[in-house]
Amino acid sequence: MHVFLIANPFASGVSAQRLAAVEKELARVAAVTVLLTERRMHAKELVAEVSAEADAVVVFSGDGVFNEALNGLVADVPIGFVPGGGTSVLARALGLPKDPVLAAARVSEAIEQRRTRRITLGRVNGRRFGFGAGVGLDAEAVRRVDEMGRSSDGKRPGDFAFALAVMKALAANRGHLEPALEIAGLGRAAFAFVANGSPYTYAKGIPLPIVPDADFELGLDVVAPVRVRRRSLVRTAYALLRGHPRERDVLYGHDLDRVEIRCDAPMPLQADGEDLGDVERAVFEAQRGAVSVLA
Protein backbone atom coordinates (compact mmCIF):
# COMPACT_ATOMS: atom_id res chain seq x y z
CA MET A 1 0.00 0.00 0.00
CA HIS A 2 1.33 3.44 -0.95
CA VAL A 3 0.37 6.61 0.95
CA PHE A 4 1.31 10.12 -0.12
CA LEU A 5 1.77 12.48 2.82
CA ILE A 6 1.31 16.13 1.78
CA ALA A 7 2.67 18.51 4.42
CA ASN A 8 2.76 22.29 4.68
CA PRO A 9 6.02 23.23 6.47
CA PHE A 10 4.70 26.77 7.06
CA ALA A 11 1.60 25.69 9.01
CA SER A 12 1.67 26.78 12.65
CA GLY A 13 1.56 23.21 14.03
CA VAL A 14 4.00 21.62 11.59
CA SER A 15 7.68 21.13 12.49
CA ALA A 16 10.36 18.77 11.26
CA GLN A 17 10.02 16.72 14.45
CA ARG A 18 6.24 16.43 14.20
CA LEU A 19 6.39 15.62 10.51
CA ALA A 20 8.83 12.78 11.22
CA ALA A 21 6.50 11.45 13.95
CA VAL A 22 3.46 11.61 11.66
CA GLU A 23 5.38 9.84 8.89
CA LYS A 24 6.48 7.14 11.36
CA GLU A 25 2.85 6.47 12.38
CA LEU A 26 1.73 6.11 8.77
CA ALA A 27 4.77 3.98 7.87
CA ARG A 28 3.52 1.30 10.28
CA VAL A 29 0.85 0.34 7.71
CA ALA A 30 2.08 1.59 4.33
CA ALA A 31 4.95 2.85 2.24
CA VAL A 32 4.99 6.64 2.61
CA THR A 33 6.12 9.33 0.20
CA VAL A 34 6.38 12.80 1.75
CA LEU A 35 5.73 15.86 -0.42
CA LEU A 36 6.13 19.40 0.94
CA THR A 37 4.12 22.35 -0.30
CA GLU A 38 6.11 25.38 -1.40
CA ARG A 39 3.52 27.99 -2.36
CA ARG A 40 -0.17 28.82 -2.40
CA MET A 41 -2.27 26.20 -4.26
CA HIS A 42 0.72 23.84 -4.47
CA ALA A 43 -1.19 21.18 -2.50
CA LYS A 44 -3.90 21.21 -5.16
CA GLU A 45 -1.27 20.51 -7.81
CA LEU A 46 0.42 17.78 -5.78
CA VAL A 47 -2.83 15.97 -4.98
CA ALA A 48 -3.92 16.17 -8.60
CA GLU A 49 -0.61 14.54 -9.61
CA VAL A 50 -0.68 11.66 -7.13
CA SER A 51 -4.33 10.90 -6.36
CA ALA A 52 -4.78 8.60 -9.36
CA GLU A 53 -1.89 6.34 -8.29
CA ALA A 54 -2.18 6.59 -4.49
CA ASP A 55 -3.89 4.09 -2.23
CA ALA A 56 -4.50 6.99 0.16
CA VAL A 57 -3.58 10.66 0.53
CA VAL A 58 -2.93 12.21 3.95
CA VAL A 59 -2.58 15.96 4.46
CA PHE A 60 -0.70 17.42 7.43
CA SER A 61 -1.49 21.11 7.60
CA GLY A 62 -4.20 23.60 8.46
CA ASP A 63 -7.58 24.18 6.85
CA GLY A 64 -6.25 26.24 3.94
CA VAL A 65 -4.15 23.40 2.57
CA PHE A 66 -6.88 20.88 3.45
CA ASN A 67 -9.08 22.96 1.15
CA GLU A 68 -6.47 22.94 -1.62
CA ALA A 69 -6.16 19.16 -1.35
CA LEU A 70 -9.91 18.65 -1.66
CA ASN A 71 -9.91 20.79 -4.78
CA GLY A 72 -7.04 18.74 -6.22
CA LEU A 73 -8.63 15.31 -5.97
CA VAL A 74 -9.06 13.83 -9.46
CA ALA A 75 -9.75 10.26 -8.32
CA ASP A 76 -11.92 8.62 -5.66
CA VAL A 77 -9.01 7.94 -3.33
CA PRO A 78 -9.39 7.97 0.47
CA ILE A 79 -8.05 11.15 2.04
CA GLY A 80 -7.06 11.83 5.64
CA PHE A 81 -6.39 15.06 7.52
CA VAL A 82 -3.84 15.52 10.31
CA PRO A 83 -4.22 18.79 12.26
CA GLY A 84 -1.26 21.06 11.64
CA GLY A 85 -2.84 24.51 11.69
CA GLY A 86 -3.80 26.87 14.46
CA THR A 87 -7.41 25.68 14.38
CA SER A 88 -7.69 22.75 11.90
CA VAL A 89 -11.48 22.74 11.95
CA LEU A 90 -12.02 19.99 9.37
CA ALA A 91 -9.88 17.33 11.02
CA ARG A 92 -11.32 18.03 14.46
CA ALA A 93 -14.90 18.16 13.18
CA LEU A 94 -14.31 14.70 11.71
CA GLY A 95 -13.50 13.47 15.22
CA LEU A 96 -9.70 13.45 15.18
CA PRO A 97 -7.68 14.71 18.15
CA LYS A 98 -5.88 18.03 17.77
CA ASP A 99 -2.52 16.44 18.61
CA PRO A 100 -1.04 15.55 15.19
CA VAL A 101 0.72 12.37 16.28
CA LEU A 102 -2.41 10.99 17.92
CA ALA A 103 -4.43 12.00 14.86
CA ALA A 104 -1.90 10.29 12.58
CA ALA A 105 -2.24 7.11 14.65
CA ARG A 106 -6.03 7.20 14.11
CA VAL A 107 -5.59 7.78 10.38
CA SER A 108 -3.08 4.94 10.26
CA GLU A 109 -5.58 2.61 11.90
CA ALA A 110 -8.22 3.68 9.37
CA ILE A 111 -5.84 2.88 6.51
CA GLU A 112 -4.97 -0.52 7.98
CA GLN A 113 -8.60 -1.41 8.59
CA ARG A 114 -9.76 0.22 5.33
CA ARG A 115 -12.17 2.29 7.42
CA THR A 116 -13.60 5.25 5.54
CA ARG A 117 -16.56 7.59 5.71
CA ARG A 118 -18.19 9.29 2.75
CA ILE A 119 -18.98 12.94 3.39
CA THR A 120 -20.68 15.82 1.66
CA LEU A 121 -18.55 18.69 0.42
CA GLY A 122 -19.76 22.18 -0.33
CA ARG A 123 -18.92 24.09 -3.47
CA VAL A 124 -19.21 27.84 -3.92
CA ASN A 125 -18.73 29.45 -7.32
CA GLY A 126 -16.82 26.33 -8.38
CA ARG A 127 -14.53 26.13 -5.30
CA ARG A 128 -14.95 23.14 -2.99
CA PHE A 129 -14.98 23.59 0.78
CA GLY A 130 -14.67 21.00 3.52
CA PHE A 131 -16.69 22.45 6.40
CA GLY A 132 -17.89 26.02 5.95
CA ALA A 133 -18.02 29.23 3.94
CA GLY A 134 -19.44 32.67 4.44
CA VAL A 135 -20.42 35.94 2.82
CA GLY A 136 -19.89 39.20 4.68
CA LEU A 137 -18.73 39.51 8.27
CA ASP A 138 -16.68 36.35 8.78
CA ALA A 139 -15.17 36.63 5.30
CA GLU A 140 -14.16 40.21 6.10
CA ALA A 141 -12.53 38.95 9.31
CA VAL A 142 -10.60 36.32 7.32
CA ARG A 143 -9.33 39.07 5.05
CA ARG A 144 -8.26 41.22 7.99
CA VAL A 145 -6.30 38.30 9.46
CA ASP A 146 -4.58 37.74 6.10
CA GLU A 147 -3.65 41.42 6.02
CA MET A 148 -1.84 40.98 9.34
CA GLY A 149 0.68 38.88 7.43
CA ARG A 150 2.71 36.02 8.81
CA SER A 151 5.44 35.82 11.40
CA SER A 152 9.12 35.44 10.44
CA ASP A 153 8.74 31.64 10.37
CA GLY A 154 5.75 31.83 8.02
CA LYS A 155 3.10 31.08 10.63
CA ARG A 156 -0.37 32.60 10.33
CA PRO A 157 -2.07 34.45 13.25
CA GLY A 158 -4.32 32.26 15.42
CA ASP A 159 -7.78 32.27 16.98
CA PHE A 160 -7.31 35.45 19.01
CA ALA A 161 -6.37 37.37 15.88
CA PHE A 162 -9.52 36.17 14.14
CA ALA A 163 -11.74 37.17 17.09
CA LEU A 164 -10.07 40.59 17.11
CA ALA A 165 -10.66 40.91 13.37
CA VAL A 166 -14.38 40.21 13.84
CA MET A 167 -14.58 42.93 16.49
CA LYS A 168 -12.74 45.38 14.23
CA ALA A 169 -15.07 44.59 11.35
CA LEU A 170 -18.06 45.31 13.59
CA ALA A 171 -16.42 48.46 14.92
CA ALA A 172 -15.87 49.67 11.36
CA ASN A 173 -19.65 49.52 10.96
CA ARG A 174 -20.24 51.00 14.43
CA GLY A 175 -21.68 47.68 15.56
CA HIS A 176 -24.57 48.09 13.13
CA LEU A 177 -25.20 45.88 10.10
CA GLU A 178 -28.34 46.16 7.98
CA PRO A 179 -29.59 43.66 5.38
CA ALA A 180 -27.17 43.74 2.47
CA LEU A 181 -27.82 40.49 0.62
CA GLU A 182 -30.69 38.29 -0.56
CA ILE A 183 -30.80 34.52 0.03
CA ALA A 184 -33.07 32.95 -2.58
CA GLY A 185 -36.19 31.53 -0.95
CA LEU A 186 -35.29 32.74 2.55
CA GLY A 187 -35.07 36.53 2.47
CA ARG A 188 -32.71 39.40 3.19
CA ALA A 189 -29.86 39.31 5.70
CA ALA A 190 -26.77 41.20 6.81
CA PHE A 191 -24.33 38.31 6.26
CA ALA A 192 -24.46 34.53 5.92
CA PHE A 193 -22.76 31.38 7.19
CA VAL A 194 -23.03 28.22 5.04
CA ALA A 195 -21.82 24.86 6.33
CA ASN A 196 -21.77 21.17 5.48
CA GLY A 197 -20.59 20.12 8.94
CA SER A 198 -20.46 21.23 12.56
CA PRO A 199 -18.87 22.91 14.44
CA TYR A 200 -18.33 25.90 12.18
CA THR A 201 -15.08 26.75 13.95
CA TYR A 202 -13.27 26.53 17.28
CA ALA A 203 -11.98 29.04 19.80
CA LYS A 204 -8.99 27.11 21.12
CA GLY A 205 -10.61 23.97 22.54
CA ILE A 206 -14.16 25.30 22.49
CA PRO A 207 -16.35 24.29 19.51
CA LEU A 208 -18.52 27.11 18.13
CA PRO A 209 -21.50 25.44 16.44
CA ILE A 210 -23.08 28.55 14.75
CA VAL A 211 -24.66 26.19 12.16
CA PRO A 212 -25.34 23.34 14.62
CA ASP A 213 -27.58 21.06 12.54
CA ALA A 214 -25.14 20.83 9.64
CA ASP A 215 -24.07 17.23 9.09
CA PHE A 216 -21.37 15.74 6.88
CA GLU A 217 -23.87 13.13 5.65
CA LEU A 218 -26.50 15.72 4.65
CA GLY A 219 -26.64 18.79 2.41
CA LEU A 220 -25.88 22.41 3.24
CA ASP A 221 -27.17 24.52 6.11
CA VAL A 222 -27.34 28.30 6.11
CA VAL A 223 -27.63 30.69 9.06
CA ALA A 224 -27.96 34.40 8.32
CA PRO A 225 -28.71 37.20 10.82
CA VAL A 226 -31.14 39.66 9.29
CA ARG A 227 -29.42 42.62 10.95
CA VAL A 228 -27.07 43.47 13.79
CA ARG A 229 -27.65 46.51 15.97
CA ARG A 230 -25.62 47.80 18.89
CA ARG A 231 -28.38 47.17 21.39
CA SER A 232 -28.84 43.56 20.22
CA LEU A 233 -25.21 42.76 19.41
CA VAL A 234 -24.55 40.72 22.55
CA ARG A 235 -27.80 38.76 22.22
CA THR A 236 -27.20 38.00 18.53
CA ALA A 237 -23.58 36.97 19.13
CA TYR A 238 -24.57 34.76 22.07
CA ALA A 239 -27.31 33.04 20.05
CA LEU A 240 -24.95 32.31 17.16
CA LEU A 241 -22.02 31.13 19.24
CA ARG A 242 -24.23 28.91 21.38
CA GLY A 243 -25.75 27.36 18.26
CA HIS A 244 -29.30 28.69 18.42
CA PRO A 245 -29.89 29.67 14.78
CA ARG A 246 -33.68 29.81 15.06
CA GLU A 247 -33.62 32.96 17.14
CA ARG A 248 -35.70 35.91 16.02
CA ASP A 249 -34.20 37.87 13.11
CA VAL A 250 -32.04 34.95 11.92
CA LEU A 251 -32.76 33.21 8.61
CA TYR A 252 -32.23 29.46 8.63
CA GLY A 253 -32.13 26.66 6.06
CA HIS A 254 -31.31 22.97 6.60
CA ASP A 255 -30.14 20.11 4.36
CA LEU A 256 -30.21 22.14 1.15
CA ASP A 257 -28.80 21.19 -2.24
CA ARG A 258 -28.34 24.78 -3.34
CA VAL A 259 -28.06 28.19 -1.71
CA GLU A 260 -27.97 31.27 -3.92
CA ILE A 261 -26.95 34.62 -2.46
CA ARG A 262 -27.06 37.96 -4.27
CA CYS A 263 -25.37 40.96 -2.67
CA ASP A 264 -26.51 44.57 -3.01
CA ALA A 265 -22.85 45.46 -3.62
CA PRO A 266 -19.70 43.27 -3.80
CA MET A 267 -19.06 41.55 -0.46
CA PRO A 268 -16.19 39.35 0.79
CA LEU A 269 -16.51 35.57 0.31
CA GLN A 270 -14.50 32.93 2.18
CA ALA A 271 -14.37 29.15 2.03
CA ASP A 272 -12.62 27.10 4.76
CA GLY A 273 -10.96 30.31 5.94
CA GLU A 274 -9.60 31.20 2.48
CA ASP A 275 -10.37 34.65 1.06
CA LEU A 276 -12.04 34.23 -2.35
CA GLY A 277 -12.40 37.94 -3.07
CA ASP A 278 -15.48 40.13 -3.38
CA VAL A 279 -18.59 38.80 -5.10
CA GLU A 280 -22.01 40.05 -6.06
CA ARG A 281 -23.38 36.51 -6.41
CA ALA A 282 -22.44 33.31 -4.60
CA VAL A 283 -23.93 29.95 -5.55
CA PHE A 284 -23.38 27.21 -2.97
CA GLU A 285 -23.99 23.59 -3.96
CA ALA A 286 -23.94 20.37 -1.95
CA GLN A 287 -21.80 17.58 -3.36
CA ARG A 288 -23.33 14.72 -1.43
CA GLY A 289 -21.06 11.79 -0.68
CA ALA A 290 -18.31 13.51 -2.64
CA VAL A 291 -15.23 12.11 -0.91
CA SER A 292 -14.12 9.16 1.15
CA VAL A 293 -12.27 10.30 4.29
CA LEU A 294 -10.09 8.26 6.65
CA ALA A 295 -11.85 8.59 9.97
Side-chain angles (χ1 to χ4, degrees), residues 55-71:
D55 293 302
V57 173
V58 178
V59 187
F60 179 26
S61 186
D63 289 306
V65 170
F66 291 165
N67 180 275
E68 291 182 20
L70 289 171
N71 280 278

Side-chain angles (χ1 to χ4, degrees), residues 86-87 145 148 157-167 202-204:
T87 308
V145 170
M148 293 176 189
D159 293 346
F160 178 76
F162 183 80
L164 183 62
V166 171
M167 296 306 296
Y202 290 83
K204 297 299 182 184

Side-chain angles (χ1 to χ4, degrees), residues 45 56 78 86 116 160 196 222 259 267 280:
E45 298 170 15
T116 60
F160 178 76
N196 58 304
V222 57
V259 178
M267 297 179 71
E280 292 185 355

Side-chain angles (χ1 to χ4, degrees), residues 3-24 26 32-44 46-47 50 57-66 68-69 79-85 100 104 155:
V3 173
F4 285 87
L5 172 59
I6 312 294
N8 175 15
F10 302 106
S12 59
V14 176
S15 65
Q17 182 179 8
R18 287 176 177 171
L19 177 56
V22 167
E23 181 183 3
K24 182 179 180 180
L26 298 175
V32 180
T33 297
V34 178
L35 301 173
L36 302 180
T37 62
E38 299 173 357
R39 59 188 180 276
R40 188 178 178 88
M41 299 307 292
H42 194 198
K44 179 180 178 181
L46 292 174
V47 172
V50 305
V57 173
V58 178
V59 187
F60 179 26
S61 186
D63 289 306
V65 170
F66 291 165
E68 291 182 20
I79 186 167
F81 304 99
V82 175
K155 309 303 186 184

Side-chain angles (χ1 to χ4, degrees), residues 120-124 127-131 196 220 285-287:
T120 294
L121 294 181
R123 183 170 64 186
V124 55
R127 175 76 171 256
R128 279 178 159 181
F129 57 90
F131 60 91
N196 58 304
L220 300 178
E285 299 167 298
Q287 296 184 306

Side-chain angles (χ1 to χ4, degrees), residues 102-294:
L102 294 178
R106 297 271 189 91
V107 171
S108 178
E109 290 172 6
I111 293 171
E112 184 176 35
Q113 299 171 13
R114 300 184 184 276
R115 185 177 68 241
T116 60
R117 172 187 179 189
R118 296 207 72 88
I119 68 168
T120 294
L121 294 181
R123 183 170 64 186
V124 55
N125 293 359
R127 175 76 171 256
R128 279 178 159 181
F129 57 90
F131 60 91
V135 178
L137 181 63
D138 73 324
E140 184 177 344
V142 165
R143 182 170 300 171
R144 286 174 179 267
V145 170
D146 286 345
E147 289 171 352
M148 293 176 189
R150 294 176 179 264
S151 61
S152 59
D153 59 358
K155 309 303 186 184
R156 192 180 188 186
D159 293 346
F160 178 76
F162 183 80
L164 183 62
V166 171
M167 296 306 296
K168 287 184 175 179
L170 285 170
N173 292 279
R174 298 183 179 179
H176 190 91
L177 296 173
E178 286 294 325
L181 54 81
E182 178 82 22
I183 304 175
L186 290 179
R188 289 182 59 74
F191 54 93
F193 304 99
V194 180
N196 58 304
S198 184
Y200 190 81
T201 190
Y202 290 83
K204 297 299 182 184
I206 303 172
L208 304 179
I210 298 180
V211 191
D213 297 327
D215 190 300
F216 285 116
E217 273 74 39
L218 300 177
L220 300 178
D221 280 24
V222 57
V223 169
V226 173
R227 60 176 50 82
V228 176
R229 291 175 175 166
R230 286 190 297 274
R231 65 175 180 269
S232 62
L233 176 59
V234 173
R235 178 177 62 81
T236 300
Y238 180 80
L240 291 172
L241 295 177
R242 293 285 293 173
H244 299 299
R246 295 181 180 83
E247 293 288 321
R248 180 168 54 90
D249 291 335
V250 177
L251 305 181
Y252 174 76
H254 176 61
D255 192 17
L256 306 175
D257 285 303
R258 191 173 190 271
V259 178
E260 181 177 351
I261 296 177
R262 291 185 179 273
C263 308
D264 298 349
M267 297 179 71
L269 169 69
Q270 68 86 14
D272 287 347
E274 293 296 293
D275 185 355
L276 302 186
D278 289 349
V279 297
E280 292 185 355
R281 180 172 179 260
V283 177
F284 300 82
E285 299 167 298
Q287 296 184 306
R288 295 177 186 260
V291 296
S292 180
V293 297
L294 296 160

